[in-house]
Amino acid sequence: NFDGGFNLGADLGYAFLTGDADGGGCYYQPKAGYTFAEKHTVYADYKGISKEGTELSSINIGYAIKF
């Protein structure tokens, strides 16, 4: 029996910066999604990396399929 619907989640951790940036920072990503047809999810999230008072961030939308 499939119990789809709305879901909430978060990723927390440490991000390693690449390119001209040096070191890394605190990584966080709260997200909300809707699962339908058992294997499909559409979601929206905010992704941020904080390092010494500077923040890199983005707002994202996406689609995921479970294989």
Side-chain angles (χ1 to χ4, degrees):
N1 201 10
F2 172 65
D3 292 330
F6 289 99
N7 50 71
L8 299 173
D11 292 341
L12 301 172
Y14 187 83
F16 296 94
L17 301 173
T18 61
D20 292 338
D22 193 21
C26 176
Y27 166 83
Y28 52 95
Q29 180 186 15
K31 51 183 140 181
Y34 183 79
T35 302
F36 60 96
E38 192 169 356
K39 294 183 178 186
H40 305 273
T41 302
V42 291
Y43 62 88
D45 66 59
Y46 175 86
K47 196 176 293 184
I49 301 171
S50 294
K51 178 185 177 185
E52 299 172 0
T54 301
E55 183 170 323
L56 302 169
S57 61
S58 64
I59 296 173
N60 312 288
I61 57 171
Y63 167 80
I65 185 168
K66 184 177 180 181
F67 294 102

